[in-house]
């Protein structure tokens, strides 16, 4: 878990980026994801003897009721409740930032050709309602998918069992796909999708295959003949869509899930540039792909550019925009690293560098930028939507975070 801004990276951040790092990494409790607040006793930041900081409510919740001792959730050092103390410096920092910050509560949108990233950090359309997982339950997760009929959440990560399944409330149901190269095992999963029939589809860059399992984890089939499969999704017919970053293509695979047979496997789109994340719209069948553009004249870590392409279900290009063109319409640089569709057909993109989620609208008349999520995210790597909620996979916190329009309940882990 990231607990403080990396000084090696702060030199390359804008003032808005530094503000975001402070707000996420310093001014919120990394157990409950609530912002510290001196005025609320339970939300006051408390120093542990090991140096880590939790809110008072989490210190109380994690401590033994009789022994009055707790184990630090980050370094596992044992300490007594009496040895904790109020972290005055964080309270002072928060008061200082709040006194200088904007007061508007409306979600920022495109107005007069631009929007403010500073206001986006404190004014968002959706709010964190639930968070679960955390280090140990999830280890470096990379992909998330949803079985819409039940709300079951499926995540791929780097544990001994590569696929883990959660209930809609965040309870771990089971895991499968043991680490390894054998049939039914998974070497290195990157992304996951769930077909309407409930079958789980995983891209495995370790042996360059796509693997299909039942919802209980029984191996159905393995699809080969990829160079480097990456992103994956399924359409309304259960057909599998796979991006291949080395073949620079999008593949379309028809399978018979009942008999475990590949019916057709062909390249649907070629000449893509490092295609990674992809998503299929449940409303229109449109397919969105994120390309990672190379620029040989600049160091890639400082000048990465991405491009969003949207195709019809017949694979005809209908929309295209890159991070540079979106930046020209705003006051800050955008970096699209993930993509999804909501249930109304709006395109949603992840900016993993800033830890933000944006809606681009339906793109009929060009993008309409709206910030959906601008807080409580460290490094989002995947998302899906259900019933006006966004379900985000945060690789920085090794957690699943659910955002909704109202935050009626406190986030739970």
């Amino acid at each position: 878990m990231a607990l403080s801004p990396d000084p090696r990276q702060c030199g390359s951040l804008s003032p808005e980026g530094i503000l975001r790092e402070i707000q996420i990494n310093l001014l919120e409790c990394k157990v409950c994801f609530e912002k510290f607040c001196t005025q609320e006793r339970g939300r006051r930041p408390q120093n542990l003897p090991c140096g880590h900081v939790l809110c008072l409510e989490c210190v109380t919740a994690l401590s033994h009721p009789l022994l009055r001792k707790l184990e630090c959730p980050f370094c596992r050092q044992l300490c007594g409740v009496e040895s904790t103390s109020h972290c005055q410096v964080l309270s002072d920092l928060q008061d200082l930032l709040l006194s200088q910050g904007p007061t508007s509560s409306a979600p920022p949108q495109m107005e007069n050709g631009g929007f403010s990233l500073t206001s986006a950090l404190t004014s968002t359309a959706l709010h964190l309602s639930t968070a679960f997982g955390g280090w140990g339950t999830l280890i470096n997760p990379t992909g998330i998918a949803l079985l819409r009929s039940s709300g079951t959440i499926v995540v791929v990560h780097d544990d001994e069992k590569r696929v883990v399944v959660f209930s809609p409330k965040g309870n771990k149901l089971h895991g499968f796909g043991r680490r390894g190269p054998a049939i039914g095992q998974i070497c290195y999963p990157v992304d996951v999708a769930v077909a309407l029939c409930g079958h789980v589809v995983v891209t495995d860059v370790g042996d360059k295959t796509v693997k299909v399992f039942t919802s209980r984890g029984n191996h159905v089939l393995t699809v080969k003949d990829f160079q480097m499969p990456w992103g994956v999704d399924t359409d309304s017919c259960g057909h599998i869509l796979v991006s291949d970053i080395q073949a620079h293509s999008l593949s379309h695979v028809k399978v018979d899930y009942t008999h475990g047979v590949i019916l057709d496997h062909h390249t649907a789109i070629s000449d893509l540039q490092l295609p990674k994340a992809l998503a299929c719209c449940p409303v229109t069948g449109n397919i969105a792909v994120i390309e990672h553009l190379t620029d040989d004249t600049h160091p890639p870590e400082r000048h990465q550019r991405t491009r969003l392409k949207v195709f019809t279900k017949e694979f005809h290009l209908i929309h295209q925009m890159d991070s540079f063109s979106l930046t020209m319409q705003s006051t800050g640089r955008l970096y699209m690293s993930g993509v999804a569709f909501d249930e109304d057909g709006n395109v949603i993109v992840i900016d993993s560098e800033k830890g933000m989620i944006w809606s681009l609208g339906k793109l009929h008349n060009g993008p309409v930028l709206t910030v959906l999520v601008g807080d409580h995210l460290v490094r989002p790597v995947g998302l899906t939507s259900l019933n006006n909620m966004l379900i985000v996979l945060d690789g920085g916190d090794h957690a699943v975070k659910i955002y909704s329009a109202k935050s009626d309940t406190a986030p739970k882990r």
Side-chain angles (χ1 to χ4, degrees):
M1 274 187 191
L3 298 180
S4 61
D6 188 339
R8 296 170 296 180
Q9 299 177 356
C10 287
S12 62
L13 292 176
S14 64
E16 291 84 2
I18 295 174
L19 176 61
R20 174 190 168 271
E21 291 296 326
I22 292 174
Q23 290 179 324
I24 289 179
N25 291 305
L26 294 179
L27 298 182
E28 68 177 34
C29 175
K30 287 300 178 183
V31 173
C32 66
F33 299 106
E34 286 285 352
K35 293 186 182 299
F36 293 128
C37 179
T38 305
Q39 286 71 35
E40 297 182 34
R41 185 175 185 277
R43 297 302 173 200
R44 293 177 183 174
Q46 296 294 115
N47 282 312
L48 303 186
C50 59
H52 292 109
V53 181
L54 307 179
C55 70
L56 181 59
E57 185 173 300
C58 287
V59 169
T60 303
L62 294 175
S63 61
H64 192 281
L66 298 178
L67 300 179
R68 300 280 291 168
K69 293 183 180 295
L70 73 150
E71 187 180 73
C72 174
F74 308 112
C75 67
R76 303 304 181 188
Q77 180 174 324
L78 190 67
C79 68
V81 174
E82 292 76 10
S83 62
T84 65
S85 60
H86 177 63
C87 186
Q88 186 62 45
V89 65
L90 287 188
S91 294
D92 292 344
L93 177 60
Q94 187 174 51
D95 291 342
L96 176 64
L97 292 178
L98 288 176
S99 67
Q100 301 296 321
T103 58
S104 172
S105 60
Q109 299 184 9
M110 292 294 298
E111 293 183 3
N112 301 323
F115 58 85
S116 169
L117 288 181
T118 303
S119 63
L121 297 176
T122 55
S123 305
T124 57
L126 302 179
H127 303 275
L128 181 65
S129 59
T130 305
F132 57 88
W135 181 262
T137 301
L138 294 175
I139 300 175
N140 299 325
T142 55
I144 187 170
L146 185 72
L147 179 57
R148 296 185 177 277
S149 60
S150 64
T152 302
I153 299 166
V154 182
V155 177
V156 290
H157 67 143
D158 196 27
D159 202 2
E160 181 61 32
K161 291 184 178 180
R162 304 305 219 179
V163 182
V164 73
V165 181
F166 296 96
S167 73
K169 294 184 177 180
N171 299 316
K172 183 177 178 180
L173 301 178
H174 64 279
F176 61 86
R178 289 191 174 276
R179 177 190 297 141
I183 295 177
Q185 295 183 330
I186 301 173
C187 299
Y188 190 84
V190 171
D191 201 6
V192 62
V194 180
L196 290 178
C197 58
H199 285 74
V200 178
V201 185
V202 179
T203 50
D204 189 345
V205 300
D207 59 7
K208 303 177 182 179
T209 63
V210 172
K211 296 170 180 176
V212 180
F213 302 85
T214 67
S215 60
R216 296 299 304 174
N218 297 318
H219 178 255
V220 175
L221 64 93
T222 296
V223 186
K224 301 180 180 180
D225 298 325
F226 295 100
Q227 294 186 36
M228 189 63 70
W230 201 269
V232 66
D233 204 352
T234 60
D235 63 19
S236 59
C237 298
H239 302 153
I240 302 170
L241 303 164
V242 183
S243 63
D244 191 319
I245 62 173
Q246 286 191 358
H248 308 289
S249 64
L250 182 86
S251 293
H252 186 250
V253 184
K254 295 181 181 180
V255 300
D256 181 337
Y257 292 101
T258 302
H259 299 95
V261 177
I262 301 171
L263 303 177
D264 180 56
H265 179 189
H266 69 277
T267 298
I269 304 172
S270 57
D271 298 325
L272 296 172
Q273 293 192 44
L274 294 177
K276 290 189 175 182
L278 70 88
C280 184
C281 180
V283 179
T284 63
N286 290 346
I287 303 157
V289 182
I290 298 290
E291 295 179 295
H292 293 251
L293 309 180
T294 57
D295 186 347
D296 297 333
T297 62
H298 298 96
E301 67 276 7
R302 292 291 299 277
H303 296 274
Q304 286 186 332
R305 291 193 301 124
T306 54
R307 179 165 56 205
L308 170 69
K309 286 185 175 179
V310 180
F311 302 85
T312 66
K313 58 184 178 181
E314 292 83 17
F315 306 108
H316 301 304
L317 181 65
I318 53 175
H319 301 292
Q320 176 176 305
M321 66 202 67
D322 60 28
S323 53
F324 179 77
S325 64
L326 289 175
T327 297
M328 294 295 289
Q329 304 177 49
S330 67
T331 59
R333 184 172 66 90
L334 301 182
Y335 175 78
M336 296 178 289
S337 53
V339 64
F341 289 91
D342 67 14
E343 292 168 311
D344 294 324
N346 295 299
V347 178
I348 304 172
V349 295
I350 296 174
D351 185 336
S352 59
E353 289 188 352
K354 294 184 177 66
M356 301 178 72
I357 310 294
W358 305 81
S359 172
L360 303 183
K362 293 182 172 62
L363 303 180
H364 295 325
N365 299 311
V368 179
L369 285 166
T370 304
V371 177
L372 298 180
V373 178
D375 56 3
H376 300 292
L377 290 176
V378 179
R379 186 175 57 85
V381 295
L383 81 161
T384 184
S385 67
L386 180 69
N387 299 330
N388 298 318
M389 298 185 301
L390 278 186
I391 305 171
V392 184
L393 182 63
D394 193 335
D397 276 339
H398 314 276
V400 176
K401 301 176 181 180
I402 300 178
Y403 291 81
S404 58
K406 295 181 179 180
S407 53
D408 296 330
T409 59
K412 300 179 180 179
R413 288 291 293 271

